[in-house]
Amino acid sequence: MVDVALTGTGALPEEMVSRARVLDRLRLGDLVFRNLTRAAAILVLIILSGVIIALVSGSLPALRAFGFNFLIEERWNPVTERFGAIAPIYGTIVTSFLAMFIAVPVGLMIAMFLTELCPMSLRRPIGIAIELLAGIPSIIYGIWGLFVFAPFLQQYVQPGLIALFGNVPILSRLFEGPPYGIGMLTAGLILAIMVLPFITSISRDVFEAVPPVLKEAAYGVGCTTWEVVRYVVLPYTRVGVIGGVMLGLGRALGETMAVTFVIGNAHKISASILAPGTTISATIANEFTEAVGDLYTSSLIALGLILFVITFIVLAIARYLLLRIERRIG
Amino acid sequence: MGLSFAATAFGLGWLVLILGVLLYEGFSGLSLKVFTEMTPPPGSDGGLLNPIIGSLLLTSLAVAIGTPIGMLAGTYMAEYGRHDRLTSIVRFINDILLSAPSIVIGLFVYEIMVYPMGHFSGWAGAVALALIVIPVVVRTTEDMLTLVPNALREAAASIGLPRALMIVRIAYRAARAGILTGVLLAVARISGETAPLLFTALNNQFGGANMNAPISSLPVVIFQFALSPYADWQKLAWTGALIITITVLALSIVARALAATGKQS
């Protein structure tokens, strides 16, 4: 069939052969390129499964030795090789919670300012400046926290907190003990500064996606800016905001260097947020290269596994929520 | 509403505070020596030459490894499998990797490279950083290729260009600024990363650019020096911190400018 068509055009057979060869080569190139890109995409999946497999296999010795107790045991004693993860887990959760407690309202406020109140000409520069906060490497927050922020808190803020809450029944437990400067409160505050840009930029993006008609209608019936945000913007963007908050939480949970500098690395659970503590990532960063013995190393990897599982769940929820709002916006 | 103004001032205040202290502390230690001398033992003079070289090596290798893989994966997602199952799974997993704790990446590379090889090495550090580069590049490549108008693709197809050539010659060219932005952002991200290097590249007081041995890098040296009790080491840590921050901020500003020009044209 092809041959008939070819003779019809009067082309020489050799020419056709060479053309077919070129076409074959192009087809081959296309096939190779397609499969190359496919392989790269699959590699992304392999990396994630590799991370999970490596962490699980690395933490097997510890999990076999301690079983479920690993999760609830407070002791962390390299000498007797008794390890338990509850203190770092507790520290991770408390510092992240503190961070979110501060960063969520502030982040939402900034997003609100940027979308509703800020003069147009200032919006971009302020937005960029806030995002630059996200660009500063975490080790910079760490060194700044250790040398500047922690001493400041120790001298001025923490004594005030202790005096202020010292006589309040339940709250006094939270602010017990000497002002060390370093500790869970300091770590939480630094984490708050670090996740602030994530929450701000995502909330700003979803706030901007609110149809202007809705807002104008609300303004039209005499709502104040606050009422518009409270009753129109926030309900409309709820899912996206929660997604952004979860994304920030994922960051806070896994943040390592800044926390390592200021947490104090003490393997104990204290009710007071002024006390030094430790987090999962800080423990790994501090102790991994010095860990002697398989059980010690394995326990640290098991901590890493716990951290990965927690952040995986939080991030998966965040992505799911953000995906939902993306679909709605279209 | 005054509150939201206060919140913004609060957010910007931190930026000013951190950068201010950094400039103040870092600049006083900044001199030519920092770039020409090796890290000193405590109590004597020195610079940051070996960690700077180490960081440059690690970063460029990580980008060299991570960018092609990330671009290819992003290409598959945007060009070949835009609507298939694999793409949506990869996109989800990639987003998770994008914000996964970097210390876990370090543990992973320790398990697959450092432990089997029996020693810490620069290669392990570069691979750890590459694993952080990949998701960033995948994400931007996919996003940017999706923005390329389909009319360009159809025009290429109508003159008989095979798909692979269409992607390489047309789509990549149209998305060039965006993809480059992604790579720059990835560089900015990894040049400050410390956690994944702690137990892969480790540190090396004596310089050397041997990728098969432990190699020093700026962030790890800052970590070590800042936590040391020696004043001159702490001083160097501040200077190193200033160098990193300026680099990172410059990179992200350039990336932003690039993205802005890309959008206009």
Side-chain angles (χ1 to χ4, degrees), chain A residues 1 13 17 47 59 69 84 90 109 132 135 149 157 188 201 221 225 242 249 255 291 302 313:
Chain A
M1 192 63 201
V17 171
I47 291 173
S59 54
N69 275 340
Y90 173 81
M109 289 285 196
L132 283 185
F149 197 49
V157 179
S201 68
V221 295
T225 314
I242 296 173
L249 181 60
E255 178 46 50
I313 294 170

Side-chain angles (χ1 to χ4, degrees), chain B residues 82-225:
Chain B
R82 197 176 278 194
H83 301 292
D84 71 9
R85 190 78 163 278
L86 178 65
T87 298
S88 50
I89 297 172
V90 171
R91 188 182 298 133
F92 187 74
I93 296 298
N94 187 64
D95 278 351
I96 301 245
L97 279 179
L98 196 63
S99 23
S102 55
I103 192 152
V104 171
I105 303 287
L107 283 179
F108 169 59
V109 174
Y110 177 86
E111 284 275 293
I112 61 160
M113 287 185 76
V114 178
Y115 191 69
M117 286 161 73
H119 59 88
F120 298 100
S121 72
W123 286 115
V127 168
L129 292 182
L131 290 180
I132 297 171
V133 171
I134 290 173
V136 182
V137 177
V138 169
R139 181 72 187 269
T140 36
T141 307
E142 196 209 348
D143 286 354
M144 290 305 139
L145 285 179
T146 315
L147 289 181
V148 173
N150 265 332
L152 281 181
R153 293 196 182 90
E154 284 153 10
S158 74
I159 57 165
L161 213 54
R163 213 159 175 185
L165 277 182
M166 180 275 286
I167 293 169
V168 175
R169 298 267 172 85
I170 312 282
Y172 277 171
R173 240 172 243 193
R176 193 171 45 194
I179 295 175
L180 195 59
T181 307
V183 175
L184 283 179
L185 286 177
V187 175
R189 169 104 192 263
I190 60 170
S191 49
E193 277 291 354
T194 321
L197 293 177
L198 285 175
F199 22 83
T200 52
L202 202 69
N203 196 354
N204 190 345
Q205 286 272 44
F206 308 106
N210 182 1
M211 289 297 288
N212 216 3
I215 194 166
S216 67
S217 60
L218 264 181
V220 177
V221 167
I222 295 174
F223 179 54
Q224 189 197 348
F225 279 18

Side-chain angles (χ1 to χ4, degrees), chain A residues 26-27 29-30 33-38 40-48 50-55 57-59 102 105-107 109-110 112-114 117 124-126 128-133 135-141 143-144 146-149 193 196 225-226 229 247 250-251 253-257 260-261 280-282 284-286 288-289 294 297 300-301 303-305 307-308 311-312 315-317 319-320 323 326, chain B residues 1-5 7-12 14-15 17-19 21-22 25 68-73 75-77 80 84 86 89-105 107-108 110-112 115 120 131 134 138-139 160 162-165 167-168 172 188-189 191-195 198-199 202 218-220 222-228 234 237-238 240-242 244-245 248-249 252-253 256 260:
Chain A
L26 288 178
R27 205 168 291 136
D30 208 26
F33 190 69
R34 185 194 161 93
N35 284 314
L36 207 62
T37 59
R38 202 180 153 86
I42 292 171
L43 186 68
V44 174
L45 299 184
I46 294 176
I47 291 173
L48 187 88
V51 169
I52 296 172
I53 292 169
L55 288 178
S57 78
S59 54
I102 298 162
V106 175
M109 289 285 196
I110 298 178
M112 202 155 86
F113 178 75
L114 286 177
L117 295 170
R124 249 181 76 78
I126 293 182
I128 288 175
I130 295 282
E131 277 165 27
L132 283 185
L133 266 180
I136 297 178
S138 64
I139 189 147
I140 310 297
Y141 285 97
I143 185 173
W144 177 79
L146 178 69
F147 288 120
V148 182
F149 197 49
I193 305 172
L196 187 63
T225 314
W226 166 246
V229 172
L247 206 60
R251 283 269 154 174
L253 288 169
E255 178 46 50
T256 310
M257 297 323 290
T260 306
F261 272 95
I280 295 177
S281 47
I284 302 173
N286 268 320
F288 197 79
T289 42
D294 285 345
T297 311
L300 287 168
I301 295 177
L303 277 183
L305 179 65
L307 176 67
F308 190 67
T311 45
F312 188 95
L315 292 173
I317 296 174
R319 290 298 170 189
Y320 172 72
L323 212 65
E326 248 167 53
Chain B
M1 281 300 112
L3 265 179
S4 74
F5 185 76
T8 310
F10 177 81
L12 292 179
W14 291 119
L15 186 68
L17 259 178
I18 293 174
L19 290 184
V21 172
L22 202 58
E25 294 276 355
I69 297 176
M71 268 180 73
L72 286 174
T75 307
Y76 179 81
M77 292 159 74
Y80 286 115
D84 71 9
L86 178 65
I89 297 172
V90 171
R91 188 182 298 133
F92 187 74
I93 296 298
N94 187 64
D95 278 351
I96 301 245
L97 279 179
L98 196 63
S99 23
S102 55
I103 192 152
V104 171
I105 303 287
L107 283 179
F108 169 59
Y110 177 86
E111 284 275 293
I112 61 160
Y115 191 69
F120 298 100
L131 290 180
I134 290 173
V138 169
R139 181 72 187 269
R163 213 159 175 185
L165 277 182
I167 293 169
V168 175
Y172 277 171
R189 169 104 192 263
S191 49
E193 277 291 354
T194 321
L198 285 175
F199 22 83
L202 202 69
L218 264 181
V220 177
I222 295 174
F223 179 54
Q224 189 197 348
F225 279 18
L227 286 175
S228 75
Q234 292 176 0
W238 276 112
L242 179 70
I244 287 192
T245 312
V248 169
L249 291 186
S252 41
I253 290 171
R256 243 165 247 286

Side-chain angles (χ1 to χ4, degrees), chain A residues 198-219:
Chain A
F198 291 95
I199 296 175
T200 304
S201 68
I202 290 183
S203 325
R204 184 195 54 189
D205 291 349
V206 293
F207 283 1
E208 270 169 1
V210 177
V213 176
L214 283 183
K215 285 192 280 190
E216 283 158 14
Y219 281 120

